[in-house]
């Protein structure tokens, strides 16, 4: 049995090239992925008088880009001097991938089962303000938040059973799980093609938070079971390779910031 599942998605929310946006409530620019993918591959080989062999291969790959932004725009509060009138730019990934692969072989002379699984999640999550003015008049907070909380669960099991006069039973499983993440939250200027600053960002608010958080989860189960009822050789083996890679950054650069309260810039992984 062979199962291949490949998914590539882009989620984007933004305000771009807006000369002036006047608001009286709140502004929320939000992009979020909540995809759930479940992959299963199984095989059974059985022989009453001969050799039973089963094999399965499963490949599951998910790639996401989640982005929210204010670019070259002006956002200004234009209401009464009361209440809280926040501006939030938020991007988050909550992808879940579950992959189960199994193979079993049952035979009178020999039983062999082999399972192979490859699973990967690759995410880029970005939220930011670039070359823009955000003015809450001191009546609201500005928050820029990028989070990656994706989860990967993988299982691969091979079972080999030799019945009666079987002399050999073999079982094996190989599993590779990879999670890669790039998370960025920022307040930056706009630049021209030569890298020169053309417009600084300006923040006037009660507080400013710029946070980037990577908190991925990976769970892997791998096994091989070999049994002979009357034979002399039974071999079971399993191999599991699990890889995490991440880059998390929070940055304010070339910006004019005027806040009456707290400025919090943080990156967590």
């Amino acid at each position: 049995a062979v199962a291949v599942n490949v998914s590539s998605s882009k989620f984007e929310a933004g305000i771009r090239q807006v000369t002036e946006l006047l608001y009286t409530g709140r502004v929320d620019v939000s992009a979020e992925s909540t995809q759930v993918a479940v992959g299963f591959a199984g095989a059974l080989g059985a022989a009453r008088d001969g050799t039973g062999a089963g094999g399965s291969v499963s490949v599951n790959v998910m790639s996401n880009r989640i982005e929210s932004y204010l670019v070259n725009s002006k956002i200004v509060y234009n209401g009464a001097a009361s209440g809280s009138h926040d501006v939030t730019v938020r991007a988050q990934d909550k992808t879940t991938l579950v992959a189960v692969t199994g193979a079993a072989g049952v035979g009178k002379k020999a039983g062999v089962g082999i399972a192979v699984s490859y699973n990967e999640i690759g995410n880029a999550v970005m939220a930011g303000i670039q070359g823009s003015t955000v003015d809450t008049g001191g009546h609201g907070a500005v928050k820029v938040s990028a989070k990656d909380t994706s989860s990967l669960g993988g299982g691969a099991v091979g079972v080999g059973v030799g019945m009666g006069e079987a002399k050999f039973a073999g079982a094996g499983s190989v599993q590779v799980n990879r999670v890669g993440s790039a998370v960025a939250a920022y307040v930056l200027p706009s630049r021209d093609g030569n890298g020169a600053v053309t417009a600084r960002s300006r923040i006037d608010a009660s507080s400013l938070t710029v946070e980037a958080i990577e908190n991925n989860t990976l769970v892997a189960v791998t096994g091989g079971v070999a049994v002979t009822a009357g034979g002399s050789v039974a071999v079971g083996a399993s191999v599991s390779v699990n890889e995490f890679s991440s880059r998390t950054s929070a940055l304010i650069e070339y910006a004019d910031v005027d806040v009456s309260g707290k400025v919090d810039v943080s990156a967590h992984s």
Side-chain angles (χ1 to χ4, degrees):
V2 177
V4 178
N5 303 294
V6 178
S7 172
S8 179
S9 303
K10 182 177 181 180
F11 304 84
E12 181 177 354
I15 297 175
R16 183 192 296 271
Q17 306 294 350
V18 175
T19 303
E20 187 172 55
L21 188 158
L22 303 178
Y23 75 100
T24 57
R26 298 188 180 190
V27 177
D28 188 2
V29 182
S30 177
E32 182 174 305
S33 170
T34 57
Q35 295 182 92
V36 177
V38 179
F40 175 79
L44 170 64
R48 177 178 297 180
D49 296 320
T51 299
S56 62
V57 177
S58 175
V59 178
N60 303 282
V61 178
M62 299 186 73
S63 175
N64 298 315
R65 182 182 179 91
I66 302 95
E67 185 174 7
S68 61
Y69 53 80
L70 302 177
V71 176
N72 296 334
S73 298
K74 185 176 182 179
I75 314 297
V76 178
Y77 176 65
N78 192 39
S82 62
S84 180
H85 304 281
D86 301 341
V87 175
T88 302
V89 182
R90 180 174 65 92
Q92 184 167 8
D93 182 85
K94 297 180 180 179
T95 296
T96 299
L97 171 60
V98 179
V100 179
T101 307
V106 180
K108 186 175 181 180
K109 293 183 178 180
V112 179
I114 298 175
V116 178
S117 178
Y118 178 86
N119 309 298
E120 179 178 348
I121 294 178
N123 291 329
V125 184
M126 294 172 288
I129 298 172
Q130 184 173 10
S132 298
T133 294
V134 179
D135 185 355
T136 70
H139 303 297
V142 173
K143 183 175 183 179
V144 180
S145 175
K147 297 181 180 180
D148 187 0
T149 57
S150 55
S151 300
L152 190 158
V157 178
V159 178
V161 179
M163 305 295 292
E165 300 175 356
K167 295 182 179 181
F168 176 79
S173 62
V174 177
Q175 182 177 212
V176 177
N177 300 298
R178 302 180 65 190
V179 177
S181 178
V183 184
Y186 58 86
V187 177
L188 298 174
S190 291
R191 297 178 182 271
D192 61 20
N194 296 319
V197 173
T198 56
R200 297 168 66 96
S201 286
R202 177 175 172 265
I203 308 296
D204 186 342
S206 59
S207 66
L208 172 62
T209 300
V210 180
E211 64 175 11
I213 298 173
E214 182 272 324
N215 188 22
N216 294 322
T217 302
L218 192 159
V219 178
V221 178
T222 307
V225 179
V227 179
T228 59
S232 57
V233 179
V235 179
S238 64
V239 176
S240 180
V241 178
N242 303 294
E243 178 184 333
F244 267 110
S245 63
S246 66
R247 180 177 180 180
T248 307
S249 60
L251 178 66
I252 298 176
E253 183 179 70
Y254 288 102
D256 300 318
V257 178
D258 184 2
V259 301
S260 57
K262 184 179 180 181
V263 175
D264 185 1
V265 182
S266 60
H268 305 280
S269 179

